[in-house]
Amino acid sequence: MKEIILCKYGEISLKGANRAYFEKLLRELLKKRTAAFGAFRIYSLQSTVYIEPENEDADVEGAYRAAKNTFGISAITRAVQTEKTTEAILETAKNQFMPYLEGAKTFKVEAKRSDKRFPLTSPEISAEVGGAILEASHGRLRVDVHHPDVCVRVEIRDLAAYLCAGQERAIGGMPIGSSGKGLLLLSGGIDSPVAGFMMAKRGVKIDAMHFESFPYTSERARMKVLSLAEKLTEYTGEIHVHIISVTHIQEALRDACEEDYFTLLLRRFMMRLSERTAEKFGCEALITGESLGQVASQTMEALNCTQAVCHMPVFRPAIGLDKEEIIQRARQIGTYETSALPYEDCCTVFTPRHPQTKPRLGKVEEQEAKIDVDGLLERALEGVEWVTVG
Ligand code: ATP
Ligand code: MG
């Protein structure tokens, strides 16, 4: 029996003249992601990507899971491939295909004949295959055309015929890399991994930037961030994590500036450092996990003051989500448990008692005039470290 994986694209099918480019990118990504599970031939035909094992050793189940989490694919199924003759199709339906219907009580058959030279029409194929399955099930299965447990699809395509039992929703979105590269400001919190996932789903390749304040933050806090990045790589592929220490900046702010501006000033430093790193590594946007009104530094006034130091667009995909929604997404993508670990973050070091919620830009700039902004930035950038995960 030859089992293969069929993937339907989502938005790519709407791409008109650029479609071939997106298809090629998706095939390359699938090739990379399935490589760990054996040798597969990957090709696209008629709005479908085929993932075909090249030999018996290939782990089809593993490749299926990897493909299901690959952005750009909207539905996925395992199918039995058979020769394009009525006899072969009926024979497959009665034998190799029956295990796919385990657990079902009712079914219906839908046939699609994109090769119009095939001698039976689609309704005829459905009727024949339905009959074959009923016979092989010895009374266990019934046909229900309205609410079947399983919809059996028979597709007569150019190369062969395929039988599959239903299809699962896959992750959707656009292939990674089709929308450029962005730098994700990745803290150890719940929001930023979700923000990274959301932008990656739109096709953005992700690099990450993490700020730490050793010795106020620990090695464990850094490991936590790296394991969050590692979790994201299940969707995004390899991530380069840039790590910068901001301890000396925080100490300078503590010594020279008004306490209630402290978080905001630090955030402006983070944005400047991120933008410089982004420029150096070919990222075209910054991505943060900010959500409007969540904390003092995320009021509209505070966001405007933070934004003011950046020329690059800053994407904040979680801006309109509330905490519950963000947590729900974090659980879905599997980052919640790690994010919930209690290690300290640099934002929690020297936290002001009464942070400004309605800062004015003039006042913020007055505070910055008291310190050597460029010197502090230079020193931070000299100490940048770099780790690749995934
Ligand atoms: P999160 O749950 O993502 O940590 P938060 O609710 O803790 O968010 P803030 O601490 O104000 O909110 O951070 C807002 C955003 O700034 C984060 O989502 C992240 O993108 C970025 N950020 C904050 N701290 C760091 C850090 N130490 N390193 C890198 N980025 C950070
Ligand atoms: Mg945080």
Side-chain angles (χ1 to χ4, degrees), residues 184-193 195 209-212 225 246 263 267 270-271 274 287-291 294-295 297-298 323 326 339 345-348:
L184 169 67
L185 279 72
L186 184 62
S187 66
I190 297 167
D191 311 328
S192 44
M209 171 95 240
H210 178 65
F211 299 100
E212 60 181 15
V225 169
V246 289
T263 309
R267 296 202 58 73
M270 287 185 179
M271 300 313 269
S274 299
I287 301 163
T288 77
E290 288 159 313
S291 154
Q294 191 187 79
V295 286
S297 60
Q298 293 169 29
K323 198 75 194 185
I326 299 174
S339 291
D345 178 73
C346 73
C347 289
T348 56

Short mmCIF file of all heavy atoms in Angstrom, two decimals, residues 184-193 195 209-212 225 246 263 267 270-271 274 287-291 294-295 297-298 323 326 339 345-348, ligand 1:
data_model
loop_
_atom_site.label_atom_id
_atom_site.label_comp_id
_atom_site.label_asym_id
_atom_site.label_seq_id
_atom_site.Cartn_x
_atom_site.Cartn_y
_atom_site.Cartn_z
N LEU A 184 11.69 39.95 16.87
CA LEU A 184 10.73 39.82 17.97
C LEU A 184 11.41 40.15 19.29
O LEU A 184 12.41 39.53 19.64
CB LEU A 184 10.21 38.37 18.00
CG LEU A 184 9.40 37.96 19.24
CD1 LEU A 184 8.07 38.71 19.29
CD2 LEU A 184 9.15 36.44 19.23
N LEU A 185 10.86 41.12 20.01
CA LEU A 185 11.36 41.41 21.35
C LEU A 185 10.77 40.36 22.28
O LEU A 185 9.57 40.38 22.59
CB LEU A 185 10.96 42.82 21.80
CG LEU A 185 11.84 43.95 21.25
CD1 LEU A 185 11.59 44.17 19.76
CD2 LEU A 185 11.60 45.24 22.02
N LEU A 186 11.61 39.42 22.67
CA LEU A 186 11.13 38.24 23.38
C LEU A 186 11.51 38.31 24.85
O LEU A 186 12.68 38.18 25.21
CB LEU A 186 11.73 36.98 22.73
CG LEU A 186 11.28 35.63 23.26
CD1 LEU A 186 9.78 35.42 23.06
CD2 LEU A 186 12.05 34.50 22.56
N SER A 187 10.51 38.55 25.70
CA SER A 187 10.75 38.54 27.15
C SER A 187 10.43 37.12 27.60
O SER A 187 10.15 36.25 26.79
CB SER A 187 9.83 39.53 27.83
OG SER A 187 8.51 39.11 27.70
N GLY A 188 10.43 36.88 28.89
CA GLY A 188 10.05 35.54 29.35
C GLY A 188 8.56 35.45 29.61
O GLY A 188 8.09 34.46 30.16
N GLY A 189 7.81 36.49 29.22
CA GLY A 189 6.39 36.55 29.57
C GLY A 189 5.50 35.74 28.64
O GLY A 189 5.98 34.96 27.81
N ILE A 190 4.21 35.94 28.81
CA ILE A 190 3.22 35.16 28.05
C ILE A 190 2.97 35.79 26.68
O ILE A 190 2.74 35.11 25.69
CB ILE A 190 1.89 35.11 28.84
CG1 ILE A 190 2.11 34.39 30.16
CG2 ILE A 190 0.80 34.42 28.03
CD1 ILE A 190 0.96 34.56 31.14
N ASP A 191 3.06 37.13 26.63
CA ASP A 191 2.57 37.84 25.45
C ASP A 191 3.51 37.78 24.24
O ASP A 191 3.06 37.61 23.11
CB ASP A 191 2.34 39.32 25.79
CG ASP A 191 1.55 39.49 27.06
OD1 ASP A 191 0.71 38.62 27.34
OD2 ASP A 191 1.76 40.48 27.77
N SER A 192 4.80 37.96 24.50
CA SER A 192 5.69 38.09 23.34
C SER A 192 5.81 36.81 22.49
O SER A 192 5.85 36.92 21.26
CB SER A 192 7.06 38.66 23.74
OG SER A 192 7.55 38.08 24.89
N PRO A 193 5.84 35.59 23.09
CA PRO A 193 5.86 34.42 22.19
C PRO A 193 4.60 34.34 21.32
O PRO A 193 4.66 33.97 20.15
CB PRO A 193 5.91 33.23 23.16
CG PRO A 193 6.41 33.79 24.45
CD PRO A 193 5.95 35.21 24.51
N ALA A 195 2.86 36.92 20.28
CA ALA A 195 3.01 37.94 19.23
C ALA A 195 3.91 37.41 18.11
O ALA A 195 3.62 37.60 16.92
CB ALA A 195 3.59 39.21 19.82
N MET A 209 15.14 39.02 20.06
CA MET A 209 16.02 39.91 20.81
C MET A 209 15.59 39.78 22.26
O MET A 209 14.41 39.93 22.57
CB MET A 209 15.71 41.32 20.29
CG MET A 209 16.33 42.44 21.02
SD MET A 209 17.85 42.85 20.17
CE MET A 209 18.95 42.55 21.48
N HIS A 210 16.57 39.48 23.13
CA HIS A 210 16.22 39.41 24.55
C HIS A 210 17.14 40.30 25.36
O HIS A 210 18.35 40.32 25.16
CB HIS A 210 16.31 37.96 25.05
CG HIS A 210 16.01 37.86 26.52
ND1 HIS A 210 14.78 38.16 27.03
CD2 HIS A 210 16.80 37.53 27.58
CE1 HIS A 210 14.81 38.02 28.35
NE2 HIS A 210 16.02 37.64 28.70
N PHE A 211 16.54 41.03 26.30
CA PHE A 211 17.32 41.89 27.19
C PHE A 211 17.37 41.27 28.57
O PHE A 211 16.34 40.85 29.10
CB PHE A 211 16.67 43.28 27.28
CG PHE A 211 16.61 43.96 25.96
CD1 PHE A 211 15.43 43.98 25.22
CD2 PHE A 211 17.74 44.55 25.41
CE1 PHE A 211 15.38 44.58 23.98
CE2 PHE A 211 17.70 45.16 24.17
CZ PHE A 211 16.52 45.18 23.45
N GLU A 212 18.58 41.22 29.12
CA GLU A 212 18.68 40.70 30.48
C GLU A 212 19.45 41.69 31.32
O GLU A 212 20.13 42.59 30.81
CB GLU A 212 19.35 39.33 30.47
CG GLU A 212 20.75 39.32 29.92
CD GLU A 212 21.37 37.92 29.90
OE1 GLU A 212 20.65 36.91 30.05
OE2 GLU A 212 22.60 37.87 29.73
N VAL A 225 13.91 31.88 28.40
CA VAL A 225 13.66 32.58 27.13
C VAL A 225 14.11 31.72 25.95
O VAL A 225 13.42 31.62 24.93
CB VAL A 225 14.37 33.95 27.14
CG1 VAL A 225 14.37 34.57 25.76
CG2 VAL A 225 13.70 34.86 28.15
N VAL A 246 21.31 44.94 29.73
CA VAL A 246 20.97 46.36 29.91
C VAL A 246 21.20 46.80 31.36
O VAL A 246 20.68 47.84 31.77
CB VAL A 246 19.51 46.66 29.47
CG1 VAL A 246 19.39 46.58 27.96
CG2 VAL A 246 18.51 45.72 30.12
N THR A 263 10.53 52.84 33.71
CA THR A 263 10.17 51.75 32.78
C THR A 263 10.12 52.27 31.35
O THR A 263 10.61 51.65 30.41
CB THR A 263 8.80 51.14 33.16
OG1 THR A 263 8.85 50.82 34.54
CG2 THR A 263 8.51 49.89 32.37
N ARG A 267 12.29 51.16 28.15
CA ARG A 267 11.65 50.65 26.93
C ARG A 267 12.15 51.41 25.70
O ARG A 267 12.31 50.82 24.63
CB ARG A 267 10.12 50.75 27.04
CG ARG A 267 9.56 49.86 28.15
CD ARG A 267 8.11 49.54 27.95
NE ARG A 267 7.91 48.88 26.66
CZ ARG A 267 8.26 47.64 26.39
NH1 ARG A 267 8.79 46.87 27.32
NH2 ARG A 267 8.06 47.13 25.20
N MET A 270 15.33 49.84 24.85
CA MET A 270 15.10 48.53 24.21
C MET A 270 14.77 48.70 22.73
O MET A 270 15.25 47.96 21.88
CB MET A 270 13.93 47.80 24.88
CG MET A 270 14.23 47.25 26.24
SD MET A 270 12.77 46.31 26.75
CE MET A 270 13.30 45.70 28.33
N MET A 271 13.93 49.68 22.43
CA MET A 271 13.52 49.88 21.04
C MET A 271 14.70 50.34 20.19
O MET A 271 14.90 49.87 19.07
CB MET A 271 12.39 50.91 20.93
CG MET A 271 11.12 50.57 21.68
SD MET A 271 10.55 48.89 21.44
CE MET A 271 9.48 49.10 20.06
N SER A 274 16.98 47.41 19.68
CA SER A 274 16.36 46.43 18.78
C SER A 274 16.43 46.92 17.35
O SER A 274 16.74 46.16 16.42
CB SER A 274 14.89 46.22 19.16
OG SER A 274 14.81 45.73 20.47
N ILE A 287 8.75 43.49 16.47
CA ILE A 287 7.50 42.86 16.91
C ILE A 287 7.51 42.81 18.44
O ILE A 287 8.49 42.36 19.03
CB ILE A 287 7.40 41.41 16.37
CG1 ILE A 287 7.46 41.40 14.85
CG2 ILE A 287 6.12 40.73 16.87
CD1 ILE A 287 7.78 40.02 14.26
N THR A 288 6.45 43.29 19.06
CA THR A 288 6.37 43.20 20.52
C THR A 288 5.05 42.56 20.94
O THR A 288 4.11 42.46 20.15
CB THR A 288 6.45 44.58 21.22
OG1 THR A 288 5.17 45.21 21.08
CG2 THR A 288 7.53 45.46 20.63
N GLY A 289 5.00 42.17 22.21
CA GLY A 289 3.79 41.55 22.75
C GLY A 289 2.91 42.55 23.47
O GLY A 289 2.10 42.17 24.32
N GLU A 290 3.04 43.82 23.14
CA GLU A 290 2.25 44.82 23.86
C GLU A 290 0.76 44.72 23.56
O GLU A 290 0.36 44.38 22.45
CB GLU A 290 2.77 46.22 23.50
CG GLU A 290 4.14 46.49 24.12
CD GLU A 290 4.91 47.60 23.43
OE1 GLU A 290 4.98 47.59 22.18
OE2 GLU A 290 5.44 48.47 24.14
N SER A 291 -0.03 45.01 24.60
CA SER A 291 -1.49 44.97 24.48
C SER A 291 -2.02 46.23 25.14
O SER A 291 -1.65 46.54 26.28
CB SER A 291 -1.98 43.70 25.19
OG SER A 291 -3.29 43.85 25.63
N GLN A 294 -2.57 47.22 29.06
CA GLN A 294 -2.28 46.09 29.97
C GLN A 294 -1.48 46.53 31.20
O GLN A 294 -1.74 46.08 32.31
CB GLN A 294 -1.50 45.01 29.20
CG GLN A 294 -1.37 43.71 29.95
CD GLN A 294 -0.45 42.74 29.22
OE1 GLN A 294 0.77 42.85 29.29
NE2 GLN A 294 -1.03 41.78 28.52
N VAL A 295 -0.48 47.35 30.99
CA VAL A 295 0.30 47.91 32.11
C VAL A 295 0.59 49.38 31.78
O VAL A 295 0.29 49.84 30.68
CB VAL A 295 1.65 47.15 32.29
CG1 VAL A 295 1.46 45.78 32.90
CG2 VAL A 295 2.42 47.03 30.97
N SER A 297 3.15 51.00 30.93
CA SER A 297 3.95 51.32 29.74
C SER A 297 3.22 50.98 28.44
O SER A 297 3.77 51.12 27.36
CB SER A 297 5.29 50.58 29.79
OG SER A 297 5.04 49.18 29.83
N GLN A 298 1.98 50.54 28.55
CA GLN A 298 1.22 50.19 27.34
C GLN A 298 -0.07 51.01 27.20
O GLN A 298 -1.02 50.59 26.55
CB GLN A 298 0.94 48.68 27.31
CG GLN A 298 2.26 47.90 27.12
CD GLN A 298 2.16 46.41 27.32
OE1 GLN A 298 1.11 45.82 27.09
NE2 GLN A 298 3.24 45.80 27.76
N LYS A 323 -5.96 39.77 28.17
CA LYS A 323 -5.02 38.78 28.73
C LYS A 323 -5.54 37.35 28.56
O LYS A 323 -4.78 36.44 28.21
CB LYS A 323 -4.76 39.11 30.20
CG LYS A 323 -3.51 38.45 30.77
CD LYS A 323 -2.24 39.13 30.29
CE LYS A 323 -1.01 38.32 30.55
NZ LYS A 323 0.23 39.02 30.18
N ILE A 326 -4.92 36.11 25.16
CA ILE A 326 -3.49 35.85 24.92
C ILE A 326 -3.10 34.52 25.59
O ILE A 326 -2.40 33.70 24.99
CB ILE A 326 -2.61 37.02 25.43
CG1 ILE A 326 -2.97 38.30 24.68
CG2 ILE A 326 -1.13 36.69 25.26
CD1 ILE A 326 -2.27 39.56 25.18
N SER A 339 6.20 30.03 29.89
CA SER A 339 6.04 31.45 30.23
C SER A 339 5.61 31.63 31.68
O SER A 339 5.97 32.62 32.32
CB SER A 339 4.99 32.11 29.34
OG SER A 339 5.46 32.23 28.02
N ASP A 345 12.33 39.07 35.26
CA ASP A 345 12.64 39.65 33.95
C ASP A 345 13.29 41.01 34.22
O ASP A 345 13.10 41.58 35.29
CB ASP A 345 11.31 39.84 33.18
CG ASP A 345 11.53 40.47 31.83
OD1 ASP A 345 12.04 39.77 30.94
OD2 ASP A 345 11.20 41.65 31.66
N CYS A 346 14.03 41.52 33.24
CA CYS A 346 14.72 42.79 33.52
C CYS A 346 13.74 43.92 33.78
O CYS A 346 14.06 44.88 34.47
CB CYS A 346 15.69 43.14 32.39
SG CYS A 346 14.88 43.69 30.91
N CYS A 347 12.50 43.80 33.24
CA CYS A 347 11.51 44.85 33.48
C CYS A 347 11.06 44.87 34.94
O CYS A 347 10.49 45.84 35.41
CB CYS A 347 10.28 44.65 32.61
SG CYS A 347 10.62 45.00 30.90
N THR A 348 11.28 43.77 35.66
CA THR A 348 10.82 43.72 37.05
C THR A 348 11.92 44.20 38.01
O THR A 348 11.72 44.27 39.21
CB THR A 348 10.38 42.29 37.44
OG1 THR A 348 11.48 41.41 37.19
CG2 THR A 348 9.19 41.84 36.64
P1 ATP B 1 5.30 39.72 28.12
O1 ATP B 1 4.28 38.81 28.72
O2 ATP B 1 5.50 39.51 26.68
O3 ATP B 1 6.58 39.73 28.90
P2 ATP B 1 4.46 41.96 29.57
O4 ATP B 1 3.05 41.93 29.87
O5 ATP B 1 5.46 41.50 30.59
O6 ATP B 1 4.69 41.18 28.22
P3 ATP B 1 6.11 44.32 29.26
O7 ATP B 1 7.08 43.78 30.23
O8 ATP B 1 5.69 45.73 29.37
O9 ATP B 1 4.78 43.47 29.16
O10 ATP B 1 6.73 44.16 27.84
C1 ATP B 1 6.05 44.52 26.69
C2 ATP B 1 6.81 43.93 25.51
O11 ATP B 1 8.15 44.41 25.47
C3 ATP B 1 6.95 42.40 25.60
O12 ATP B 1 5.84 41.75 25.09
C4 ATP B 1 8.19 42.20 24.77
O13 ATP B 1 7.88 42.24 23.39
C5 ATP B 1 9.04 43.40 25.11
N1 ATP B 1 9.93 43.09 26.25
C6 ATP B 1 9.74 43.31 27.57
N2 ATP B 1 10.77 42.85 28.30
C7 ATP B 1 11.65 42.34 27.44
C8 ATP B 1 12.94 41.71 27.56
N3 ATP B 1 13.49 41.50 28.74
N4 ATP B 1 13.54 41.29 26.44
C9 ATP B 1 12.99 41.48 25.22
N5 ATP B 1 11.79 42.05 25.05
C10 ATP B 1 11.13 42.49 26.13
#
